[in-house]
Amino acid sequence: MRKTTLAFACAALCAALPVAPPAAAAPLKKVPAALNPAKAYLLVEYRLQANPFAGFPGSRKTMPLQGGLTFARYDAAAGDVRGLGRASANPLAAGQAQRELFSNKPLAKGDTTRLFLLEVDPGTWVVEGYANTAFSLGSYSFDLAPGTVTDLGVVEAERDWAEEQRRMTSGDVLLSAMAGPFAGHADMAPLRLTFRPRAAGDLPVPAGLPADRVRPVAFTPDSKFGDYLGGLVNRIEGVNARLRAEAAKAP
Amino acid sequence: MKRIITGAILAALAASPAAAADPIYFHKAGVTREAFVADFDECAGLARGVREHAQPYVYSPNLYTTLAAAFFAGLTSGREQRYMADNVLRTCMADKGYRRVQATKAVTKELKGLAERERIDRLFALAAEPEPQGGILPR
């Protein structure tokens, strides 16, 4: 009897203890003295979004970087994030992180840009999302080789508004504040991303990184997966942006 | 499997915030039944992935204020989740070439009166018609 009670107590205690997730690699705030040959490195520059209320006196010109890219380990054959959904039969080894969440610790700052360097496990990765949007309908996957730095270039995020939807104006904000919970619901839109190679005028590749180990990314488009971030979904290029472009081309 | 898909379709039709008062359905002229079911199953699956996000909590020593704040937080949180699920469904179906159509009162009444299997047949028939029955909504 006492043994049973003890076993139950142990089981309850074990269940209550938080299970430590695999240690996620934090963004590097300094260029490492030497690249770890067992790791891969990601270099990406964020272009900050313009503040839509910049016209108000004393307002900042750009929005703070409150959200950013989420990367996940990807199974290209199964077409899903490793260990989940269609790729549930292909989990990661113990101790490997399934995804790399955004952490606002830039390596370098420009007026309207932030440069990040991440140390991750080598393998196939996918751009899973950005802030509250998962690019489940079609995203970019890419391979990271050990001991190399893959340059994703410069990324810019913007809202992908559907037809007849728009962002809130200052008047809308004021009305919403006055009405409180009885205010009408504001339009919402998922984000879409634009990646472009690093060019003159962007933050340079840090001098401390060995130039012969830095390579531009090779994206594989149309990589699909489930909505595991719990927010909105989109194609990385934007479903609504594509529909608008098609409508503009139509005679 | 079919039960799950039918449930997803009905849930989307009924639980869509825009549909609470004005139900909608999706239309793509000439779509096959297999394609319609596969598309909707994928999109409803993504919409089911939407989770409630934690609301910022503001402490108050006043019990009534706390209760009122909790009530309104619950109200807006549920509404936010429904709007997000609707947005996911809308974006996903638009990506697959469907248009949203405002269901007429007759269509809504007809669908409510049908059994599960007949309802999915009718939804597919509505989706595949050459012309939609009702006003086309913005993408």
Side-chain angles (χ1 to χ4, degrees), chain A residues 137 162-165 181 183 185 188 227-231 233 235 242-243, chain B residues 46 49-51 53 72 79-80 83-84 87-88 90-92 95 99 138-139:
Chain A
L137 298 174
E163 274 180 0
E164 297 187 8
Q165 292 204 326
H185 198 280
M188 62 169 66
D227 180 11
Y228 305 118
L229 301 181
V233 303
R235 276 186 180 275
R242 192 197 74 206
L243 292 173
Chain B
L46 290 173
V50 169
R51 289 194 299 271
H53 288 79
F72 285 119
R79 189 172 63 164
E80 188 76 6
Y83 269 98
M84 286 174 72
N87 189 290
V88 168
R90 175 180 179 167
T91 307
C92 181
D95 185 46
R99 295 301 308 254
R139 285 185 196 272

PDB file of all heavy atoms in Angstrom, chain A residues 137 162-165 181 183 185 188 227-231 233 235 242-243, chain B residues 46 49-51 53 72 79-80 83-84 87-88 90-92 95 99 138-139:
ATOM      1  N   LEU A 137       0.929  27.971 -46.296  1.00  0.00           N
ATOM      2  CA  LEU A 137       0.417  27.753 -47.660  1.00  0.00           C
ATOM      3  C   LEU A 137       1.534  27.664 -48.691  1.00  0.00           C
ATOM      4  O   LEU A 137       1.297  27.253 -49.820  1.00  0.00           O
ATOM      5  CB  LEU A 137      -0.550  28.882 -48.038  1.00  0.00           C
ATOM      6  CG  LEU A 137      -1.798  28.999 -47.166  1.00  0.00           C
ATOM      7  CD1 LEU A 137      -2.617  30.229 -47.541  1.00  0.00           C
ATOM      8  CD2 LEU A 137      -2.654  27.752 -47.302  1.00  0.00           C
ATOM      9  N   ALA A 162      -6.450  41.976 -47.725  1.00  0.00           N
ATOM     10  CA  ALA A 162      -7.419  41.429 -48.675  1.00  0.00           C
ATOM     11  C   ALA A 162      -8.202  42.582 -49.296  1.00  0.00           C
ATOM     12  O   ALA A 162      -8.073  43.732 -48.858  1.00  0.00           O
ATOM     13  CB  ALA A 162      -8.360  40.478 -47.950  1.00  0.00           C
ATOM     14  N   GLU A 163      -9.025  42.254 -50.277  1.00  0.00           N
ATOM     15  CA  GLU A 163      -9.840  43.280 -50.946  1.00  0.00           C
ATOM     16  C   GLU A 163     -10.720  43.985 -49.922  1.00  0.00           C
ATOM     17  O   GLU A 163     -11.318  43.340 -49.048  1.00  0.00           O
ATOM     18  CB  GLU A 163     -10.765  42.619 -51.978  1.00  0.00           C
ATOM     19  CG  GLU A 163     -10.133  42.412 -53.326  1.00  0.00           C
ATOM     20  CD  GLU A 163     -11.095  41.741 -54.309  1.00  0.00           C
ATOM     21  OE1 GLU A 163     -12.250  41.448 -53.945  1.00  0.00           O
ATOM     22  OE2 GLU A 163     -10.671  41.484 -55.427  1.00  0.00           O
ATOM     23  N   GLU A 164     -10.808  45.282 -50.046  1.00  0.00           N
ATOM     24  CA  GLU A 164     -11.679  46.126 -49.214  1.00  0.00           C
ATOM     25  C   GLU A 164     -11.314  46.082 -47.732  1.00  0.00           C
ATOM     26  O   GLU A 164     -12.169  46.288 -46.879  1.00  0.00           O
ATOM     27  CB  GLU A 164     -13.160  45.746 -49.407  1.00  0.00           C
ATOM     28  CG  GLU A 164     -13.631  45.980 -50.824  1.00  0.00           C
ATOM     29  CD  GLU A 164     -15.124  45.760 -50.989  1.00  0.00           C
ATOM     30  OE1 GLU A 164     -15.831  45.581 -49.992  1.00  0.00           O
ATOM     31  OE2 GLU A 164     -15.565  45.762 -52.147  1.00  0.00           O
ATOM     32  N   GLN A 165     -10.064  45.718 -47.417  1.00  0.00           N
ATOM     33  CA  GLN A 165      -9.611  45.793 -46.031  1.00  0.00           C
ATOM     34  C   GLN A 165      -8.467  46.799 -45.947  1.00  0.00           C
ATOM     35  O   GLN A 165      -7.782  47.041 -46.929  1.00  0.00           O
ATOM     36  CB  GLN A 165      -9.149  44.428 -45.544  1.00  0.00           C
ATOM     37  CG  GLN A 165     -10.291  43.430 -45.418  1.00  0.00           C
ATOM     38  CD  GLN A 165      -9.998  42.319 -44.441  1.00  0.00           C
ATOM     39  OE1 GLN A 165      -8.867  41.889 -44.309  1.00  0.00           O
ATOM     40  NE2 GLN A 165     -11.015  41.840 -43.764  1.00  0.00           N
ATOM     41  N   PRO A 181     -14.544  47.512 -25.300  1.00  0.00           N
ATOM     42  CA  PRO A 181     -14.872  46.181 -25.820  1.00  0.00           C
ATOM     43  C   PRO A 181     -16.054  46.185 -26.780  1.00  0.00           C
ATOM     44  O   PRO A 181     -16.319  45.169 -27.422  1.00  0.00           O
ATOM     45  CB  PRO A 181     -15.193  45.385 -24.555  1.00  0.00           C
ATOM     46  CG  PRO A 181     -15.552  46.382 -23.538  1.00  0.00           C
ATOM     47  CD  PRO A 181     -14.795  47.615 -23.858  1.00  0.00           C
ATOM     48  N   ALA A 183     -16.315  48.193 -29.358  1.00  0.00           N
ATOM     49  CA  ALA A 183     -15.875  48.713 -30.653  1.00  0.00           C
ATOM     50  C   ALA A 183     -15.977  47.621 -31.712  1.00  0.00           C
ATOM     51  O   ALA A 183     -15.859  46.441 -31.407  1.00  0.00           O
ATOM     52  CB  ALA A 183     -14.425  49.187 -30.545  1.00  0.00           C
ATOM     53  N   HIS A 185     -14.777  45.291 -34.800  1.00  0.00           N
ATOM     54  CA  HIS A 185     -13.484  44.628 -34.928  1.00  0.00           C
ATOM     55  C   HIS A 185     -12.690  45.223 -36.088  1.00  0.00           C
ATOM     56  O   HIS A 185     -13.229  45.408 -37.180  1.00  0.00           O
ATOM     57  CB  HIS A 185     -13.684  43.134 -35.160  1.00  0.00           C
ATOM     58  CG  HIS A 185     -12.454  42.349 -34.876  1.00  0.00           C
ATOM     59  ND1 HIS A 185     -11.423  42.256 -35.770  1.00  0.00           N
ATOM     60  CD2 HIS A 185     -12.068  41.654 -33.783  1.00  0.00           C
ATOM     61  CE1 HIS A 185     -10.467  41.528 -35.235  1.00  0.00           C
ATOM     62  NE2 HIS A 185     -10.834  41.148 -34.035  1.00  0.00           N
ATOM     63  N   MET A 188      -8.028  42.533 -40.035  1.00  0.00           N
ATOM     64  CA  MET A 188      -6.727  41.912 -39.749  1.00  0.00           C
ATOM     65  C   MET A 188      -6.190  41.286 -41.029  1.00  0.00           C
ATOM     66  O   MET A 188      -6.957  40.835 -41.884  1.00  0.00           O
ATOM     67  CB  MET A 188      -6.812  40.880 -38.630  1.00  0.00           C
ATOM     68  CG  MET A 188      -7.696  39.697 -38.889  1.00  0.00           C
ATOM     69  SD  MET A 188      -7.474  38.397 -37.648  1.00  0.00           S
ATOM     70  CE  MET A 188      -8.060  39.163 -36.168  1.00  0.00           C
ATOM     71  N   ASP A 227      -0.269  24.642 -39.506  1.00  0.00           N
ATOM     72  CA  ASP A 227      -0.226  25.895 -38.750  1.00  0.00           C
ATOM     73  C   ASP A 227       0.090  25.557 -37.300  1.00  0.00           C
ATOM     74  O   ASP A 227      -0.812  25.322 -36.502  1.00  0.00           O
ATOM     75  CB  ASP A 227      -1.582  26.618 -38.854  1.00  0.00           C
ATOM     76  CG  ASP A 227      -1.587  27.937 -38.081  1.00  0.00           C
ATOM     77  OD1 ASP A 227      -0.500  28.375 -37.652  1.00  0.00           O
ATOM     78  OD2 ASP A 227      -2.665  28.523 -37.908  1.00  0.00           O
ATOM     79  N   TYR A 228       1.368  25.549 -36.967  1.00  0.00           N
ATOM     80  CA  TYR A 228       1.784  25.173 -35.613  1.00  0.00           C
ATOM     81  C   TYR A 228       2.065  26.386 -34.734  1.00  0.00           C
ATOM     82  O   TYR A 228       2.393  26.239 -33.565  1.00  0.00           O
ATOM     83  CB  TYR A 228       3.029  24.278 -35.676  1.00  0.00           C
ATOM     84  CG  TYR A 228       2.822  23.064 -36.547  1.00  0.00           C
ATOM     85  CD1 TYR A 228       3.587  22.859 -37.679  1.00  0.00           C
ATOM     86  CD2 TYR A 228       1.828  22.139 -36.255  1.00  0.00           C
ATOM     87  CE1 TYR A 228       3.381  21.762 -38.498  1.00  0.00           C
ATOM     88  CE2 TYR A 228       1.609  21.042 -37.069  1.00  0.00           C
ATOM     89  CZ  TYR A 228       2.385  20.854 -38.191  1.00  0.00           C
ATOM     90  OH  TYR A 228       2.165  19.775 -38.994  1.00  0.00           O
ATOM     91  N   LEU A 229       1.972  27.592 -35.313  1.00  0.00           N
ATOM     92  CA  LEU A 229       2.232  28.788 -34.520  1.00  0.00           C
ATOM     93  C   LEU A 229       0.939  29.348 -33.936  1.00  0.00           C
ATOM     94  O   LEU A 229       0.974  30.235 -33.089  1.00  0.00           O
ATOM     95  CB  LEU A 229       2.944  29.846 -35.368  1.00  0.00           C
ATOM     96  CG  LEU A 229       4.294  29.415 -35.961  1.00  0.00           C
ATOM     97  CD1 LEU A 229       4.927  30.547 -36.771  1.00  0.00           C
ATOM     98  CD2 LEU A 229       5.244  28.967 -34.862  1.00  0.00           C
ATOM     99  N   GLY A 230      -0.200  28.857 -34.411  1.00  0.00           N
ATOM    100  CA  GLY A 230      -1.487  29.226 -33.814  1.00  0.00           C
ATOM    101  C   GLY A 230      -2.025  30.580 -34.240  1.00  0.00           C
ATOM    102  O   GLY A 230      -2.979  31.074 -33.655  1.00  0.00           O
ATOM    103  N   GLY A 231      -1.424  31.194 -35.261  1.00  0.00           N
ATOM    104  CA  GLY A 231      -1.892  32.510 -35.699  1.00  0.00           C
ATOM    105  C   GLY A 231      -2.500  32.460 -37.085  1.00  0.00           C
ATOM    106  O   GLY A 231      -3.117  31.459 -37.468  1.00  0.00           O
ATOM    107  N   VAL A 233      -2.384  32.516 -41.339  1.00  0.00           N
ATOM    108  CA  VAL A 233      -1.551  31.806 -42.313  1.00  0.00           C
ATOM    109  C   VAL A 233      -1.507  32.601 -43.622  1.00  0.00           C
ATOM    110  O   VAL A 233      -2.369  33.420 -43.888  1.00  0.00           O
ATOM    111  CB  VAL A 233      -2.045  30.363 -42.609  1.00  0.00           C
ATOM    112  CG1 VAL A 233      -2.134  29.541 -41.351  1.00  0.00           C
ATOM    113  CG2 VAL A 233      -3.362  30.375 -43.353  1.00  0.00           C
ATOM    114  N   ARG A 235       0.779  32.600 -47.810  1.00  0.00           N
ATOM    115  CA  ARG A 235       1.954  32.241 -48.586  1.00  0.00           C
ATOM    116  C   ARG A 235       3.013  33.276 -48.263  1.00  0.00           C
ATOM    117  O   ARG A 235       2.661  34.432 -47.984  1.00  0.00           O
ATOM    118  CB  ARG A 235       1.657  32.302 -50.097  1.00  0.00           C
ATOM    119  CG  ARG A 235       1.033  31.084 -50.646  1.00  0.00           C
ATOM    120  CD  ARG A 235       0.896  31.148 -52.149  1.00  0.00           C
ATOM    121  NE  ARG A 235       0.282  29.931 -52.602  1.00  0.00           N
ATOM    122  CZ  ARG A 235       0.945  28.813 -52.865  1.00  0.00           C
ATOM    123  NH1 ARG A 235       2.262  28.793 -52.773  1.00  0.00           N
ATOM    124  NH2 ARG A 235       0.320  27.732 -53.242  1.00  0.00           N
ATOM    125  N   ARG A 242      -0.619  38.431 -54.569  1.00  0.00           N
ATOM    126  CA  ARG A 242      -0.623  37.701 -55.852  1.00  0.00           C
ATOM    127  C   ARG A 242      -1.953  37.901 -56.585  1.00  0.00           C
ATOM    128  O   ARG A 242      -1.975  38.142 -57.791  1.00  0.00           O
ATOM    129  CB  ARG A 242      -0.406  36.206 -55.593  1.00  0.00           C
ATOM    130  CG  ARG A 242      -0.114  35.411 -56.839  1.00  0.00           C
ATOM    131  CD  ARG A 242      -0.311  33.933 -56.624  1.00  0.00           C
ATOM    132  NE  ARG A 242      -1.725  33.612 -56.570  1.00  0.00           N
ATOM    133  CZ  ARG A 242      -2.250  32.569 -55.928  1.00  0.00           C
ATOM    134  NH1 ARG A 242      -1.490  31.764 -55.239  1.00  0.00           N
ATOM    135  NH2 ARG A 242      -3.541  32.335 -55.942  1.00  0.00           N
ATOM    136  N   LEU A 243      -3.069  37.834 -55.856  1.00  0.00           N
ATOM    137  CA  LEU A 243      -4.386  38.009 -56.475  1.00  0.00           C
ATOM    138  C   LEU A 243      -4.528  39.424 -57.050  1.00  0.00           C
ATOM    139  O   LEU A 243      -5.082  39.618 -58.124  1.00  0.00           O
ATOM    140  CB  LEU A 243      -5.491  37.734 -55.455  1.00  0.00           C
ATOM    141  CG  LEU A 243      -5.618  36.274 -54.991  1.00  0.00           C
ATOM    142  CD1 LEU A 243      -6.610  36.141 -53.857  1.00  0.00           C
ATOM    143  CD2 LEU A 243      -6.016  35.361 -56.151  1.00  0.00           C
TER     144      LEU A 243
ATOM    145  N   LEU B  46      -6.099  24.029 -41.162  1.00  0.00           N
ATOM    146  CA  LEU B  46      -5.267  25.175 -40.788  1.00  0.00           C
ATOM    147  C   LEU B  46      -6.029  26.109 -39.845  1.00  0.00           C
ATOM    148  O   LEU B  46      -5.474  26.627 -38.876  1.00  0.00           O
ATOM    149  CB  LEU B  46      -4.822  25.947 -42.030  1.00  0.00           C
ATOM    150  CG  LEU B  46      -3.809  25.245 -42.937  1.00  0.00           C
ATOM    151  CD1 LEU B  46      -3.582  26.037 -44.218  1.00  0.00           C
ATOM    152  CD2 LEU B  46      -2.486  25.043 -42.214  1.00  0.00           C
ATOM    153  N   GLY B  49      -6.039  25.189 -36.344  1.00  0.00           N
ATOM    154  CA  GLY B  49      -4.761  25.404 -35.659  1.00  0.00           C
ATOM    155  C   GLY B  49      -4.685  26.726 -34.929  1.00  0.00           C
ATOM    156  O   GLY B  49      -3.757  26.963 -34.151  1.00  0.00           O
ATOM    157  N   VAL B  50      -5.662  27.622 -35.176  1.00  0.00           N
ATOM    158  CA  VAL B  50      -5.642  28.934 -34.506  1.00  0.00           C
ATOM    159  C   VAL B  50      -5.862  28.740 -33.013  1.00  0.00           C
ATOM    160  O   VAL B  50      -6.771  28.030 -32.597  1.00  0.00           O
ATOM    161  CB  VAL B  50      -6.744  29.851 -35.097  1.00  0.00           C
ATOM    162  CG1 VAL B  50      -6.911  31.100 -34.242  1.00  0.00           C
ATOM    163  CG2 VAL B  50      -6.407  30.224 -36.516  1.00  0.00           C
ATOM    164  N   ARG B  51      -4.998  29.353 -32.230  1.00  0.00           N
ATOM    165  CA  ARG B  51      -5.096  29.212 -30.773  1.00  0.00           C
ATOM    166  C   ARG B  51      -5.385  30.568 -30.133  1.00  0.00           C
ATOM    167  O   ARG B  51      -5.033  31.607 -30.688  1.00  0.00           O
ATOM    168  CB  ARG B  51      -3.775  28.674 -30.200  1.00  0.00           C
ATOM    169  CG  ARG B  51      -3.508  27.231 -30.535  1.00  0.00           C
ATOM    170  CD  ARG B  51      -2.384  26.704 -29.672  1.00  0.00           C
ATOM    171  NE  ARG B  51      -1.144  27.416 -29.863  1.00  0.00           N
ATOM    172  CZ  ARG B  51      -0.233  27.081 -30.770  1.00  0.00           C
ATOM    173  NH1 ARG B  51      -0.429  26.063 -31.557  1.00  0.00           N
ATOM    174  NH2 ARG B  51       0.893  27.783 -30.879  1.00  0.00           N
ATOM    175  N   HIS B  53      -4.672  33.476 -27.835  1.00  0.00           N
ATOM    176  CA  HIS B  53      -3.429  34.053 -27.327  1.00  0.00           C
ATOM    177  C   HIS B  53      -3.670  34.740 -25.992  1.00  0.00           C
ATOM    178  O   HIS B  53      -4.738  35.307 -25.762  1.00  0.00           O
ATOM    179  CB  HIS B  53      -2.842  35.031 -28.348  1.00  0.00           C
ATOM    180  CG  HIS B  53      -2.266  34.313 -29.527  1.00  0.00           C
ATOM    181  ND1 HIS B  53      -3.056  33.825 -30.540  1.00  0.00           N
ATOM    182  CD2 HIS B  53      -1.008  33.957 -29.830  1.00  0.00           C
ATOM    183  CE1 HIS B  53      -2.294  33.207 -31.428  1.00  0.00           C
ATOM    184  NE2 HIS B  53      -1.050  33.279 -31.017  1.00  0.00           N
ATOM    185  N   PHE B  72     -14.901  40.844 -19.891  1.00  0.00           N
ATOM    186  CA  PHE B  72     -14.653  41.479 -21.185  1.00  0.00           C
ATOM    187  C   PHE B  72     -13.451  40.847 -21.897  1.00  0.00           C
ATOM    188  O   PHE B  72     -13.429  40.740 -23.117  1.00  0.00           O
ATOM    189  CB  PHE B  72     -14.463  42.985 -21.027  1.00  0.00           C
ATOM    190  CG  PHE B  72     -15.757  43.703 -20.767  1.00  0.00           C
ATOM    191  CD1 PHE B  72     -15.962  44.414 -19.612  1.00  0.00           C
ATOM    192  CD2 PHE B  72     -16.794  43.628 -21.685  1.00  0.00           C
ATOM    193  CE1 PHE B  72     -17.161  45.064 -19.358  1.00  0.00           C
ATOM    194  CE2 PHE B  72     -18.005  44.270 -21.452  1.00  0.00           C
ATOM    195  CZ  PHE B  72     -18.193  44.983 -20.285  1.00  0.00           C
ATOM    196  N   ARG B  79     -13.817  36.257 -29.481  1.00  0.00           N
ATOM    197  CA  ARG B  79     -14.130  36.929 -30.745  1.00  0.00           C
ATOM    198  C   ARG B  79     -12.885  37.018 -31.615  1.00  0.00           C
ATOM    199  O   ARG B  79     -12.931  36.783 -32.815  1.00  0.00           O
ATOM    200  CB  ARG B  79     -14.676  38.331 -30.444  1.00  0.00           C
ATOM    201  CG  ARG B  79     -15.233  39.029 -31.663  1.00  0.00           C
ATOM    202  CD  ARG B  79     -15.926  40.311 -31.318  1.00  0.00           C
ATOM    203  NE  ARG B  79     -15.007  41.286 -30.737  1.00  0.00           N
ATOM    204  CZ  ARG B  79     -15.281  42.586 -30.634  1.00  0.00           C
ATOM    205  NH1 ARG B  79     -16.442  43.052 -31.034  1.00  0.00           N
ATOM    206  NH2 ARG B  79     -14.413  43.422 -30.104  1.00  0.00           N
ATOM    207  N   GLU B  80     -11.757  37.324 -30.992  1.00  0.00           N
ATOM    208  CA  GLU B  80     -10.487  37.439 -31.718  1.00  0.00           C
ATOM    209  C   GLU B  80     -10.123  36.104 -32.359  1.00  0.00           C
ATOM    210  O   GLU B  80      -9.706  36.060 -33.521  1.00  0.00           O
ATOM    211  CB  GLU B  80      -9.385  37.867 -30.730  1.00  0.00           C
ATOM    212  CG  GLU B  80      -8.053  38.206 -31.363  1.00  0.00           C
ATOM    213  CD  GLU B  80      -8.078  39.565 -32.040  1.00  0.00           C
ATOM    214  OE1 GLU B  80      -9.091  40.281 -31.909  1.00  0.00           O
ATOM    215  OE2 GLU B  80      -7.103  39.898 -32.726  1.00  0.00           O
ATOM    216  N   TYR B  83     -12.287  35.493 -35.394  1.00  0.00           N
ATOM    217  CA  TYR B  83     -11.880  36.324 -36.523  1.00  0.00           C
ATOM    218  C   TYR B  83     -10.619  35.755 -37.190  1.00  0.00           C
ATOM    219  O   TYR B  83     -10.484  35.763 -38.412  1.00  0.00           O
ATOM    220  CB  TYR B  83     -11.626  37.773 -36.079  1.00  0.00           C
ATOM    221  CG  TYR B  83     -12.843  38.640 -36.189  1.00  0.00           C
ATOM    222  CD1 TYR B  83     -13.637  38.895 -35.089  1.00  0.00           C
ATOM    223  CD2 TYR B  83     -13.223  39.195 -37.402  1.00  0.00           C
ATOM    224  CE1 TYR B  83     -14.775  39.679 -35.172  1.00  0.00           C
ATOM    225  CE2 TYR B  83     -14.349  39.985 -37.505  1.00  0.00           C
ATOM    226  CZ  TYR B  83     -15.128  40.219 -36.384  1.00  0.00           C
ATOM    227  OH  TYR B  83     -16.250  40.987 -36.482  1.00  0.00           O
ATOM    228  N   MET B  84      -9.711  35.274 -36.340  1.00  0.00           N
ATOM    229  CA  MET B  84      -8.467  34.721 -36.893  1.00  0.00           C
ATOM    230  C   MET B  84      -8.743  33.448 -37.694  1.00  0.00           C
ATOM    231  O   MET B  84      -8.210  33.261 -38.782  1.00  0.00           O
ATOM    232  CB  MET B  84      -7.472  34.441 -35.758  1.00  0.00           C
ATOM    233  CG  MET B  84      -6.847  35.695 -35.197  1.00  0.00           C
ATOM    234  SD  MET B  84      -5.814  35.383 -33.767  1.00  0.00           S
ATOM    235  CE  MET B  84      -4.422  34.581 -34.509  1.00  0.00           C
ATOM    236  N   ASN B  87     -10.179  34.397 -40.929  1.00  0.00           N
ATOM    237  CA  ASN B  87      -9.159  34.955 -41.815  1.00  0.00           C
ATOM    238  C   ASN B  87      -8.313  33.839 -42.440  1.00  0.00           C
ATOM    239  O   ASN B  87      -7.974  33.898 -43.627  1.00  0.00           O
ATOM    240  CB  ASN B  87      -8.271  35.917 -41.019  1.00  0.00           C
ATOM    241  CG  ASN B  87      -7.338  36.701 -41.906  1.00  0.00           C
ATOM    242  OD1 ASN B  87      -6.406  36.144 -42.462  1.00  0.00           O
ATOM    243  ND2 ASN B  87      -7.595  37.985 -42.076  1.00  0.00           N
ATOM    244  N   VAL B  88      -7.990  32.812 -41.646  1.00  0.00           N
ATOM    245  CA  VAL B  88      -7.199  31.685 -42.157  1.00  0.00           C
ATOM    246  C   VAL B  88      -7.968  30.967 -43.259  1.00  0.00           C
ATOM    247  O   VAL B  88      -7.432  30.682 -44.341  1.00  0.00           O
ATOM    248  CB  VAL B  88      -6.852  30.699 -41.011  1.00  0.00           C
ATOM    249  CG1 VAL B  88      -6.292  29.397 -41.553  1.00  0.00           C
ATOM    250  CG2 VAL B  88      -5.864  31.333 -40.053  1.00  0.00           C
ATOM    251  N   ARG B  90     -10.410  32.138 -45.097  1.00  0.00           N
ATOM    252  CA  ARG B  90     -10.575  33.036 -46.240  1.00  0.00           C
ATOM    253  C   ARG B  90      -9.307  33.082 -47.089  1.00  0.00           C
ATOM    254  O   ARG B  90      -9.360  32.959 -48.315  1.00  0.00           O
ATOM    255  CB  ARG B  90     -10.918  34.440 -45.697  1.00  0.00           C
ATOM    256  CG  ARG B  90     -10.997  35.511 -46.741  1.00  0.00           C
ATOM    257  CD  ARG B  90     -11.338  36.841 -46.096  1.00  0.00           C
ATOM    258  NE  ARG B  90     -11.399  37.891 -47.100  1.00  0.00           N
ATOM    259  CZ  ARG B  90     -11.904  39.086 -46.880  1.00  0.00           C
ATOM    260  NH1 ARG B  90     -12.403  39.392 -45.714  1.00  0.00           N
ATOM    261  NH2 ARG B  90     -11.919  39.989 -47.836  1.00  0.00           N
ATOM    262  N   THR B  91      -8.144  33.242 -46.436  1.00  0.00           N
ATOM    263  CA  THR B  91      -6.875  33.338 -47.161  1.00  0.00           C
ATOM    264  C   THR B  91      -6.571  32.024 -47.888  1.00  0.00           C
ATOM    265  O   THR B  91      -6.169  32.017 -49.047  1.00  0.00           O
ATOM    266  CB  THR B  91      -5.719  33.657 -46.178  1.00  0.00           C
ATOM    267  OG1 THR B  91      -6.064  34.803 -45.420  1.00  0.00           O
ATOM    268  CG2 THR B  91      -4.412  33.907 -46.909  1.00  0.00           C
ATOM    269  N   CYS B  92      -6.778  30.914 -47.180  1.00  0.00           N
ATOM    270  CA  CYS B  92      -6.448  29.604 -47.738  1.00  0.00           C
ATOM    271  C   CYS B  92      -7.343  29.273 -48.932  1.00  0.00           C
ATOM    272  O   CYS B  92      -6.856  28.812 -49.974  1.00  0.00           O
ATOM    273  CB  CYS B  92      -6.590  28.545 -46.635  1.00  0.00           C
ATOM    274  SG  CYS B  92      -6.178  26.897 -47.166  1.00  0.00           S
ATOM    275  N   ASP B  95      -6.472  31.320 -51.910  1.00  0.00           N
ATOM    276  CA  ASP B  95      -5.247  30.801 -52.525  1.00  0.00           C
ATOM    277  C   ASP B  95      -5.567  29.661 -53.488  1.00  0.00           C
ATOM    278  O   ASP B  95      -4.864  29.460 -54.472  1.00  0.00           O
ATOM    279  CB  ASP B  95      -4.303  30.315 -51.416  1.00  0.00           C
ATOM    280  CG  ASP B  95      -2.961  29.873 -51.958  1.00  0.00           C
ATOM    281  OD1 ASP B  95      -2.393  30.600 -52.791  1.00  0.00           O
ATOM    282  OD2 ASP B  95      -2.484  28.795 -51.555  1.00  0.00           O
ATOM    283  N   ARG B  99     -14.077  31.751 -54.463  1.00  0.00           N
ATOM    284  CA  ARG B  99     -14.659  33.043 -54.088  1.00  0.00           C
ATOM    285  C   ARG B  99     -15.630  32.828 -52.942  1.00  0.00           C
ATOM    286  O   ARG B  99     -16.300  31.792 -52.884  1.00  0.00           O
ATOM    287  CB  ARG B  99     -15.430  33.676 -55.268  1.00  0.00           C
ATOM    288  CG  ARG B  99     -14.603  34.062 -56.472  1.00  0.00           C
ATOM    289  CD  ARG B  99     -13.514  35.046 -56.181  1.00  0.00           C
ATOM    290  NE  ARG B  99     -13.927  36.251 -55.474  1.00  0.00           N
ATOM    291  CZ  ARG B  99     -14.039  37.443 -56.037  1.00  0.00           C
ATOM    292  NH1 ARG B  99     -13.769  37.593 -57.320  1.00  0.00           N
ATOM    293  NH2 ARG B  99     -14.394  38.495 -55.329  1.00  0.00           N
ATOM    294  N   PRO B 138     -15.863  40.238 -51.328  1.00  0.00           N
ATOM    295  CA  PRO B 138     -14.456  40.534 -51.651  1.00  0.00           C
ATOM    296  C   PRO B 138     -13.566  39.333 -51.325  1.00  0.00           C
ATOM    297  O   PRO B 138     -13.861  38.587 -50.407  1.00  0.00           O
ATOM    298  CB  PRO B 138     -14.113  41.711 -50.737  1.00  0.00           C
ATOM    299  CG  PRO B 138     -15.413  42.305 -50.361  1.00  0.00           C
ATOM    300  CD  PRO B 138     -16.418  41.213 -50.393  1.00  0.00           C
ATOM    301  N   ARG B 139     -12.490  39.195 -52.097  1.00  0.00           N
ATOM    302  CA  ARG B 139     -11.558  38.081 -51.847  1.00  0.00           C
ATOM    303  C   ARG B 139     -10.918  38.231 -50.482  1.00  0.00           C
ATOM    304  O   ARG B 139     -10.651  39.310 -50.048  1.00  0.00           O
ATOM    305  CB  ARG B 139     -10.460  38.071 -52.911  1.00  0.00           C
ATOM    306  CG  ARG B 139     -10.910  37.553 -54.239  1.00  0.00           C
ATOM    307  CD  ARG B 139      -9.727  37.478 -55.182  1.00  0.00           C
ATOM    308  NE  ARG B 139     -10.129  37.351 -56.568  1.00  0.00           N
ATOM    309  CZ  ARG B 139     -10.372  36.187 -57.181  1.00  0.00           C
ATOM    310  NH1 ARG B 139     -10.251  35.070 -56.529  1.00  0.00           N
ATOM    311  NH2 ARG B 139     -10.729  36.152 -58.453  1.00  0.00           N
TER     312      ARG B 139
END
